[in-house]
Structures are given as structure tokens and as C-alpha cells.
Amino acid sequence: VNAREVYGFVGWCSSAVVTVLWFLWAITPDSWLVAVGVAYYPAKYWAIALPCQLCVSVVLFYWMYDGLNRAFVLSPSHGAQISDAFANVGEPDKPSERSIPSLVDLDMRHVCRVLYGKQQSDK
């Protein structure tokens, strides 16, 4: 048994206990809690408000993440999506036997020709 398994099991057990205590606190009448000796506890409002705030926060996080990505990513039709100043476009060298060919970026027309074959516009 490794540490990850132990931590996972303890985390699973802890979350189960906290969830059961949460539901007990949410559905138990205040008079029963006082009779048991629990004098200080949060208002029942938080039994609904906290999960709702958590759900809204998760949704807002995903919306903001998506919005920031859309704001800072170039449009698909932008030329920098295909090539930029650091591109090393060219034909790869003919490697000698047992050597690794040089690293180059392939021309988009060559890639399309290999993938899709000759088109009408190539004739």
C-alpha cells in the first residue's frame, strides 16, 4: 500500500463523514441541536447558500477561463496561426545513412498535397 492510496482513502472517508454531518445539521431542528448540547452553529441559510455559491463559482470560473482564452487567442484566419517569425520552413535535407534529418517546418501546401492529394487548383 503506497501513500497515495492511504491519502485517497482518508480523503474519501473524511468527505463522507463531513457530508453526513452537513446533512444532519441541515435537517435537524434547532431545538434538537440545543438539547444535544450544540450551542453554536451556523444559520440554516448556509446549508443552501454555500453549495449554491460553490456551484456558481465553478460556473463563473469556467466562463472566465473560456473568455480569457478567447480574448488572447488569435482568430483561426490570422496568418500567425499558420506560420510565424520563428518558423524554419524548408525542405528537409536528404539524410545520410544512420543520421537524423534536420528539423524543419513543412510548408502547408506540401502537407495538404500529401494528406489530400492533388486538387483542381494544383493543376
Side-chain angles (χ1 to χ4, degrees):
V1 177
N2 63 21
R4 241 188 294 181
E5 293 171 351
V6 172
Y7 289 140
F9 181 71
V10 169
W12 178 77
C13 289
S14 301
S15 65
V17 168
V18 167
T19 303
V20 167
L21 290 175
W22 179 274
F23 283 122
L24 285 176
W25 162 70
I27 63 173
T28 304
D30 292 340
S31 59
W32 287 13
L33 291 174
V34 172
V36 173
V38 179
Y40 177 76
Y41 49 87
K44 300 291 179 148
Y45 163 81
W46 292 106
I48 300 296
L50 200 61
C52 289
Q53 288 178 348
L54 183 66
C55 291
V56 168
S57 298
V58 168
V59 169
L60 286 178
F61 171 78
Y62 282 120
W63 280 351
M64 297 227 359
Y65 183 76
D66 184 51
L68 286 173
N69 279 334
R70 289 175 189 254
F72 292 116
V73 171
L74 299 173
S75 68
S77 61
H78 195 276
Q81 292 286 45
I82 295 175
S83 182
D84 61 5
F86 301 103
N88 185 16
V89 179
E91 290 294 322
D93 298 336
K94 298 290 185 198
S96 61
E97 189 175 326
R98 302 190 58 149
S99 69
I100 298 173
S102 60
L103 184 64
V104 294
D105 295 325
L106 297 175
D107 183 37
M108 184 61 73
R109 291 174 297 219
H110 175 70
V111 172
C112 288
R113 197 174 307 117
V114 169
L115 288 176
Y116 307 116
K118 275 199 163 191
Q119 300 294 324
Q120 293 295 334
S121 61
D122 289 346
K123 292 181 179 178

